[in-house]
Amino acid sequence: MKIRFQYYGVRGSIPVSGKEFSRYGGSTTCFFVETEKTKLVIDAGTGIRLLGMDLLKREFGQGKGKLHILFTHTHWDHIQGFPFFIPCYIPGNEIHIYGETKQVKVLTDAGREEIQTWSIERTLYMQQMFMYFPASTHNMSANLHFHELKSGQVLELEDLKVESLTLYHPNHSLGFRITHGDFSFVFCTDVEHSDAMIEKLSAFAEGANGLAYDSQYLPEEYEQGKVGWGHSTYYHGIQIAKKANIPHFHLIHHDPTHDDEKLNSIQELAKKEFSNSFLVPEGFSFTNEDLGF
Ligand SMILES: [Zn+2]
Ligand SMILES: [Zn+2]
């Protein structure tokens, strides 16, 4: 039972470019998962544009593709690539989109804030309002199906099972545990650690074969002014991997100020703490067999 994963974007917060970022890449979060029967994407950061180009070479180019897109949350770096995901514009493709419904503060004509309820459909529509982007989600001619995702809900998507957990982050985000047969991988971006969060996440991830984790800051950067910003460090992620008996640890959501040289040094530090640590470069692909399962 083979499952393949590919990181199309691993940068956090905002895309970056330049030769000093050429090794690890500048596109923001997009993670692709594929089995014999299922195609799943987590987040539509700017990395999803290139995934779209790859999918167009396959059945999605003829309008015969089926795909599930799950959103961890809707901060810019996780939705910004969605308007550039070409498979959504090709009639015939079937695209299922899942995200939480949230209460948001919106400015009224009178200049006051009021609370509204925004579904994932509404949030993506608003990102593509005409004043922000020329093509609306209503101009996307694939068959788009929007689904409300609730934390704790278990999704059965053909031969994949996806479980979710609420993560501590501004307006919070979701972590996902993806299971195929007896293999499982936990994808956990945009989370700030606390003792309680480490406990919860360790229980959620217990026994998984791999963990991808928000490693945006070095522990000293976190302590010096980043507390409350919603992100974590490789050090705390490794505590979770150890506690939950997870053999492979992937560092993701790289800080936009961390160039290749800095990320190389973080990779070394993480390896000293846990030898199976891997600071993920953009484009990196692996299967369950590559991890030894
Ligand atoms: Zn993010
Ligand atoms: Zn975020």
Side-chain angles (χ1 to χ4, degrees), residues 104-116 118:
V104 294
K105 267 188 202 163
V106 176
L107 200 65
T108 65
D109 284 346
R112 281 194 298 273
E113 286 180 326
E114 68 175 27
I115 303 287
Q116 291 185 0
W118 283 28

Side-chain angles (χ1 to χ4, degrees), residues 72-78 169-170 172-173 190 229-231 253:
T72 59
H73 65 314
T74 54
H75 283 157
W76 278 343
D77 53 323
H78 301 261
H169 188 67
H172 76 258
S173 64
D190 293 59
W229 287 36
H231 298 288
H253 209 270

Side-chain angles (χ1 to χ4, degrees), residues 186-204:
V186 175
F187 185 85
C188 188
T189 189
D190 293 59
V191 59
E192 182 165 351
H193 54 275
S194 62
D195 290 348
M197 192 73 255
I198 289 174
E199 281 301 320
K200 267 191 197 159
L201 196 43
S202 303
F204 178 72

Side-chain angles (χ1 to χ4, degrees), residues 34 39 55-66 93:
E34 179 177 29
K39 290 179 184 65
L55 291 176
L56 286 185
K57 295 173 199 153
R58 299 161 65 173
E59 69 273 28
F60 290 86
Q62 290 89 51
K64 292 179 179 158
K66 182 179 177 187
N93 286 331

